[in-house]
Amino acid sequence: MDNDEANERRQAETEFVEAAYTLDEAETSYEETTRLPRIRRHLRLPTLSEDVRMDLILTMPEGYPITDGLQINACLVEGGGGTEARKLAMDSLPLMVANCRAEAEANSGCEAVLPVLCCADSWVENVWSSIWSERTVDSNDDKSNDELSKLETKVLVLGRRLIYSHHIIATSKRRAVSELASELHLGGYAKIGWPGIIMIEGAEEDCVTYVDTIRSMRYQYLMVRGEEIM
């Protein structure tokens, strides 16, 4: 029974990724021997010229999400970015993987794919931008170990909100829900219909702004049913 339940939950997460992301953003595949799902999230690390491309690889073991945790790795993709930018990205890659693994551990026993994908997006938006900004300000090509240690200890304040609405039907409301999340660099998903459900995750201050903004819209009923700050 546990195996059947785990398989159904893995399949549901895989189908969500296929529905929520384009092929340029994420791909799903299955191990040849075990047929267990694997997700590759295609990330782009902005630089002054061409973006560095990185793949976040999520593997769902047989017991996931009930008894086993999500397996997380990452690698740089060939092409994209200059030599110096790729070296900096390679040096920073373990920090991103560590952040994502910590997020998966925090969601042990639950579906962790969406929280981990949101964590990776937040890392690119916040931590990588800080790493690259400090690199471009400093004319020295090699960052000191002390500077990298400070980046390792940087703490991201992330937030999640689960928002319940009487319904989300109108085209304008559906567009506003999605466009506002994109503007604030928030991840998540929305259930359209009766009732309407919105889940967002990203920087805590952006989550607050999102909730305040949609509350100003004309909804018959709107309530935050879940809130988490990490």
Side-chain angles (χ1 to χ4, degrees):
M1 182 63 69
D2 282 350
N3 287 340
D4 290 342
E5 180 186 348
N7 185 54
E8 289 180 3
R9 292 167 68 177
R10 288 193 298 269
Q11 187 63 32
E13 285 197 286
T14 302
E15 291 174 357
F16 168 76
V17 171
E18 292 172 347
Y21 294 88
T22 66
L23 289 177
D24 289 336
E25 296 170 332
E27 296 180 65
T28 61
S29 60
Y30 295 86
E31 294 280 357
E32 292 185 6
T33 55
T34 64
R35 302 303 298 166
L36 292 171
R38 172 179 290 176
I39 296 168
R40 297 181 76 99
R41 173 72 168 102
H42 306 311
L43 300 169
R44 289 182 174 271
L45 309 184
T47 69
L48 291 177
S49 54
E50 189 178 6
D51 293 349
V52 177
R53 294 183 293 166
M54 176 187 294
D55 275 2
L56 177 68
I57 306 167
L58 311 181
T59 303
M60 304 181 193
E62 189 171 3
Y64 171 83
I66 299 174
T67 58
D68 294 334
L70 200 59
Q71 296 175 358
I72 301 173
N73 290 288
C75 65
L76 293 188
V77 179
E78 290 186 8
T83 302
E84 295 176 6
R86 290 181 64 83
K87 181 181 183 303
L88 186 60
M90 180 62 73
D91 290 341
S92 306
L93 187 149
L95 304 181
M96 192 269 286
V97 172
N99 271 24
C100 291
R101 286 175 177 171
E103 182 65 24
E105 181 65 24
N107 287 273
S108 179
C110 302
E111 283 78 356
V113 169
L114 180 58
V116 168
L117 294 179
C118 291
C119 178
D121 290 339
S122 294
W123 186 90
V124 172
E125 180 69 24
N126 296 287
V127 179
W128 170 255
S129 62
S130 295
I131 292 173
W132 183 251
S133 294
E134 291 194 16
R135 167 65 183 82
T136 53
V137 168
D138 190 343
S139 59
N140 185 359
D141 289 343
D142 298 319
K143 304 302 289 180
S144 70
N145 289 333
D146 288 343
E147 289 173 318
L148 288 177
S149 294
K150 291 178 182 178
L151 291 171
E152 281 185 330
T153 58
K154 180 173 181 177
V155 178
L156 282 177
V157 180
L158 299 178
R160 289 196 190 110
R161 298 295 188 277
L162 181 63
I163 306 165
Y164 178 93
S165 170
H166 180 269
H167 64 269
I168 302 176
I169 296 296
T171 302
S172 59
K173 293 277 181 62
R174 295 164 64 173
R175 185 186 304 114
V177 164
S178 175
E179 291 180 351
L180 180 59
S182 296
E183 290 173 8
L184 296 173
H185 306 290
L186 296 172
Y189 68 92
K191 173 186 173 295
I192 305 303
W194 289 270
I197 298 175
I198 305 169
M199 194 188 90
I200 55 169
E201 178 176 275
E204 170 61 16
E205 59 182 347
D206 293 330
C207 288
V208 172
T209 300
Y210 186 93
V211 172
D212 289 344
T213 302
I214 64 170
R215 275 178 170 162
S216 67
M217 302 175 186
R218 297 181 62 184
Y219 279 91
Q220 182 172 340
Y221 175 82
L222 189 73
M223 177 68 66
V224 176
R225 288 288 183 85
E227 179 175 336
E228 185 177 5
I229 301 176
M230 300 161 284

